[in-house]
């Protein structure tokens, strides 16, 4: 299909959902208070944010970031490789290494670019990359650029991953085998069985284990040290990738490893590091301040879990289908894409901000509303959310008992379905 046709095809679909008033994406937020936002003059309770610890509105983080602007200016003026490298970046790398339990860290300007840059440097066409089928788009993009052989294993299935490792080693004995998964999956909220996956390294120590912990950092592990710490398998992970765009109230990303040579190679060779501007001072200082706060106030992480457990139980009491979430991300599985769009609009009208995810972001026929909670959500806000959900769940017939009768919601994974990494809804 030529560019013009592709564009027209997309725009026809876009107009169709916009005409029905159900396009939930790119909603302009006029003002935010963290757990509440204003959109189109309407104040809404936000249950779709990744700011899990609510730190992007903590006055200490805001003040430190503002001071950093006065001290360092607003932009970095170049890539870290050349003129944009600040002592702040090095401080942050040391602090993060200590926090996640690895010896060295390289900071990038976003999480997406950390995956793209790191996978691009570490992997060659002779290698095989084994990805969990539900991995994030940045991982699939990063692997695609390397021209390595990509194979997926069934979601969170360590036995299947092991089988793939054995097949890959037999088929391509001269290449390296990479095992890439996430700590917490961004749509389902499921925690990966990292203990089982890390055990693959016992039998195959040469396999390179790369963990994207975008949604586990600040959420799991002692004081928010991440999913690898939660399972006490940090020493078995070769590379831990994390982002600052979730719990760390900023933007940016990093790669942590015990291998200094490997990280120096990555620092000097990552194309998204060398050919992209450095993380601005305000964002860097925001993360440093979050780490200070987490060290002093680990109870923030406890509060996040309290909120999460309360909401998970309440969702089940209402009868919602929520899959196997064990994190602050709690999906409401709805089934049909169309119903998910209409449900999201109904939530909006009732004063709640939460967005749908449809195929290929999630398995076919399992469209969901992605809800995510913050440690700063107040009980009165959670009460409102639950009473709205209870009412709308009945109205839309999306309770477990209703879905069992709905053939569309039974659709599952099909051979040839796109991996989750492709996030084009329209
Ligand atoms: C699992 C995962 N990895 C990487 C990223 C990219 O991170 P960032 O938003 O910091 O670029 C995301 C963001 O959505 C993510 O969910």
């Amino acid at each position: 299909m030529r560019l013009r046709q592709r564009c027209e095809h997309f725009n026809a679909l876009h107009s169709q959902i916009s005409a029905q008033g159900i396009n939930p994406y790119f909603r302009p937020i006029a003002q935010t208070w963290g757990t509440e936002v204003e959109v189109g003059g309407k104040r809404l309770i936000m249950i779709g944010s990744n700011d899990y610890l609510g730190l992007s509105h903590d006055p200490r983080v805001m003040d430190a970031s503002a001071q950093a602007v006065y001290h360092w200016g607003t932009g970095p003026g170049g890539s870290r490789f050349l003129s944009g490298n600040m002592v702040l970046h090095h401080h942050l790398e040391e602090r993060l290494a200590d926090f996640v339990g690895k010896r060295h860290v390289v900071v990038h300007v976003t999480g997406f670019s950390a995956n793209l840059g790191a996978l691009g440097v570490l992997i060659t066409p002779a290698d095989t990359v084994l990805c969990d089928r539900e991995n994030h788009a940045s991982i699939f993009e990063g692997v695609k650029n390397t021209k390595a052989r990509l194979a997926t294993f069934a979601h969170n299935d360590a036995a299947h991953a092991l089988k793939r490792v054995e097949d890959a080693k037999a088929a391509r004995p001269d290449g390296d085998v990479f095992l890439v998964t996430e700590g917490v999956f961004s749509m389902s909220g499921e925690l990966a069985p990292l203990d089982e996956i890390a055990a693959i390294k016992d039998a195959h120590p040469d396999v390179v284990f790369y963990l994207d912990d975008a949604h586990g950092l600040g959420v799991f592990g002692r004081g928010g040290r991440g999913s690898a710490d939660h399972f006490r398998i940090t020493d078995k992970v070769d590379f831990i990738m994390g982002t600052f765009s979730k719990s760390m109230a900023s933007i940016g990303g990093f790669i942590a490893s015990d291998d200094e040579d490997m990280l120096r190679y990555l620092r000097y060779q990552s194309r998204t590091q060398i050919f992209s501007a450095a993380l601005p001072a305000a964002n860097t200082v925001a993360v440093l301040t979050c780490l200070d706060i987490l060290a002093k106030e680990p109870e923030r992480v406890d509060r996040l879990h309290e909120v999460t457990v309360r909401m998970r139980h309440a969702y089940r009491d209402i009868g919602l289908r929520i899959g196997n979430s064990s994190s602050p991300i709690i999906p409401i599985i709805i089934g049909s894409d169309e119903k998910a769009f209409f449900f999201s609009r109904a939530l909006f009208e009732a004063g709640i901000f939460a967005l749908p995810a449809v195929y290929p972001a999630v398995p076919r026929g399992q469209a969901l509303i992605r809800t995510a909670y913050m440690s700063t959500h107040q009980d009165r806000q959670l009460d409102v959310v639950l009473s709205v959900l209870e009412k709308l769940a009945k109205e839309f017939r999306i309770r477990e008992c209703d879905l069992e009768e709905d053939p569309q919601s039974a659709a599952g994974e099909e051979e040839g379905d796109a991996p989750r990494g492709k996030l084009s809804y329209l």
Side-chain angles (χ1 to χ4, degrees):
M1 211 192 281
R2 303 291 297 266
L3 170 61
R4 173 58 50 199
Q5 288 168 302
R6 290 201 306 273
C7 188
E8 278 168 8
H9 176 71
F10 171 85
N11 279 299
L13 286 171
H14 182 265
S15 310
Q16 200 184 319
I17 66 162
S18 298
Q20 293 180 79
I22 53 169
N23 182 358
Y25 306 117
F26 288 98
R27 270 183 194 151
I29 294 173
Q31 229 182 318
T32 169
W33 298 268
T35 54
E36 294 191 10
V37 292
E38 188 195 303
V39 179
K42 192 174 170 70
R43 193 155 167 150
L44 305 149
I45 299 174
M46 167 58 83
I47 55 163
S49 169
N50 299 322
D51 182 13
Y52 302 119
L53 297 173
L55 287 170
S56 58
H57 283 76
D58 188 288
R60 294 163 292 183
V61 181
M62 294 196 288
D63 282 349
S65 284
Q67 288 308 316
V69 167
Y70 287 111
H71 193 88
W72 293 94
T74 49
S79 81
R80 291 190 62 194
F81 185 55
L82 299 172
S83 53
N85 196 38
M86 295 172 235
V87 287
L88 290 174
H89 295 130
H90 293 270
H91 288 160
L92 180 56
E93 288 176 345
E94 280 164 29
R95 291 288 302 281
L96 283 168
D98 183 53
F99 188 64
V100 300
K102 287 285 178 198
R103 289 205 194 95
H104 306 280
V105 161
V106 176
V107 163
H108 276 62
V109 75
T110 66
F112 200 106
S113 75
N115 271 339
L116 220 55
L119 296 170
V121 169
L122 300 171
I123 299 168
T124 72
D127 300 331
T128 303
V129 187
L130 307 174
C131 279
D132 185 291
R133 205 177 152 69
E134 299 202 1
N135 276 353
H136 188 256
S138 54
I139 296 173
F140 285 111
E141 284 304 310
V143 175
K144 198 167 76 187
N145 286 343
T146 67
K147 302 193 170 56
R149 185 173 166 265
L150 167 70
T152 54
F153 56 90
H155 176 54
N156 274 347
D157 187 339
H160 193 220
L162 173 62
K163 168 88 177 55
R164 289 280 202 226
V165 166
E166 288 163 354
D167 292 349
K169 287 178 89 169
R172 304 180 102 199
D174 297 332
D176 283 311
V177 177
F178 288 76
L179 197 53
V180 187
T181 192
E182 297 179 24
V184 175
F185 286 84
S186 57
M187 293 293 152
S188 65
E190 287 170 22
L191 188 61
L194 293 182
D195 47 350
E196 293 170 25
I197 290 173
I200 294 175
K201 290 273 287 185
D202 297 335
H204 301 280
D206 53 337
V207 165
V208 184
F209 183 10
Y210 183 104
L211 174 68
D212 176 331
D213 205 24
H215 297 272
L217 193 77
V219 173
F220 284 105
R222 288 163 299 164
R225 284 177 162 71
S227 312
D229 185 81
H230 172 81
F231 286 101
R232 304 286 195 275
I233 49 107
T234 302
D235 57 327
K236 289 195 180 160
V237 189
D238 296 284
F239 297 95
I240 298 179
M241 173 273 175
T243 65
F244 309 143
S245 58
K246 325 290 183 213
S247 295
M248 295 295 155
S250 185
I251 61 157
F254 70 90
I255 307 290
S257 172
D258 287 326
D259 191 324
E260 186 173 16
D261 291 340
M262 206 76 90
L263 275 205
R264 187 179 307 107
Y265 172 59
L266 200 153
R267 186 186 295 283
Y268 279 78
Q269 296 293 318
S270 161
R271 294 178 74 74
T272 54
Q273 167 83 291
I274 307 223
F275 297 107
S276 194
L279 189 69
N283 296 92
T284 312
V285 166
V287 184
L288 281 163
T289 314
C290 288
L291 290 173
D292 289 341
I293 294 174
L294 267 178
K296 277 188 248 136
E297 300 170 10
E299 63 274 12
R300 285 182 165 268
V301 182
D302 300 336
R303 165 70 187 160
L304 180 61
H305 288 285
E306 194 187 298
V307 170
T308 302
V309 168
R310 173 181 173 199
M311 295 312 272
R312 201 183 307 130
H313 285 149
Y315 277 25
R316 289 216 172 96
D317 289 346
I318 292 173
L320 296 170
R321 182 179 286 179
I322 63 171
N324 297 318
S325 162
S326 51
S327 73
I329 303 162
I330 316 180
I332 300 173
I333 298 165
I334 289 194
S336 94
D337 295 356
E338 202 186 20
K339 211 179 210 185
F341 283 120
F342 278 103
F343 192 79
S344 171
R345 188 179 69 180
L347 283 175
F348 183 87
E349 282 161 1
I352 291 167
F353 190 111
L355 297 184
V358 301
Y359 175 80
V362 294
R364 203 186 286 279
Q366 289 180 34
L368 55 86
I369 301 292
R370 181 186 184 276
T371 70
Y373 289 94
M374 298 156 71
S375 60
T376 42
H377 271 125
Q378 293 166 19
D379 291 333
R380 64 165 178 85
Q381 294 170 319
L382 302 177
D383 293 341
V384 173
V385 170
L386 289 172
S387 75
V388 169
L389 281 177
E390 181 153 31
K391 179 173 162 288
L392 291 181
K394 280 189 204 137
E395 217 171 289
F396 278 76
R397 298 184 47 76
I398 58 152
R399 289 170 305 166
E400 191 80 53
C401 52
D402 307 317
L403 292 176
E404 270 155 20
E405 293 164 15
D406 175 3
Q408 277 213 55
S409 71
E413 205 80 31
E414 278 174 27
E415 196 60 35
D417 275 0
R420 295 293 82 78
K422 297 215 173 92
L423 248 174
S424 65
Y425 298 100
L426 294 166

